[in-house]
Amino acid sequence: MQGKDPTRVIREALEQALVFYYPFAGRLRDGPHRKLMVDCTGEGVLFIEADADVTLDQFGDALQPPFPCMEELLYDVPGSTSVLNCPLLLIQILFFNSNKI
């Protein structure tokens, strides 16, 4: 892994794995009689790479819920207040100042 871009490695591994799980690229829809169904639209999963201006040490020794600053660290998907019509899978790679994922 040394010398490789971790984001690229994870993205390529997901691309290969998700071929067999193509419904994750779809969206949840409200079907007939209010039955939820996956619409295989091929819109894709949401893959986010972000940098945090903190170090893991700033969170303390025991990193357990509730996590401080969680709202600031996680991407808020626009329009995701409902489960309908949103990506079914969101992957976020977060780099801290210590350069660890």
Side-chain angles (χ1 to χ4, degrees):
M1 179 80 192
Q2 191 167 357
K4 293 185 179 182
D5 177 19
T7 303
R8 184 175 178 186
V9 170
I10 293 169
R11 181 186 297 265
E12 289 174 355
L14 280 169
E15 287 173 357
Q16 292 175 13
L18 290 175
V19 166
F20 302 103
Y21 302 96
Y22 60 90
F24 279 114
R27 299 295 182 262
L28 198 59
R29 305 277 194 236
D30 198 7
H33 309 289
R34 300 188 44 91
K35 182 178 180 181
L36 294 177
M37 53 194 263
V38 174
D39 186 7
C40 295
T41 60
E43 292 177 67
V45 301
L46 195 55
F47 189 89
I48 299 161
E49 178 183 359
D51 294 311
D53 193 21
V54 294
T55 63
L56 284 174
D57 293 336
Q58 289 176 282
F59 291 105
D61 291 333
L63 191 56
Q64 298 175 2
F67 298 109
C69 310
M70 186 178 204
E71 293 79 25
E72 290 86 12
L73 293 174
L74 296 178
Y75 180 71
D76 185 21
V77 179
S80 66
T81 55
S82 171
V83 296
L84 296 176
N85 304 313
C86 290
L88 297 177
L89 181 62
L90 182 145
I91 306 290
Q92 178 174 326
I93 308 294
L94 185 60
F95 291 94
F96 294 92
N97 276 342
S98 57
N99 225 11
K100 295 181 182 176
I101 298 176

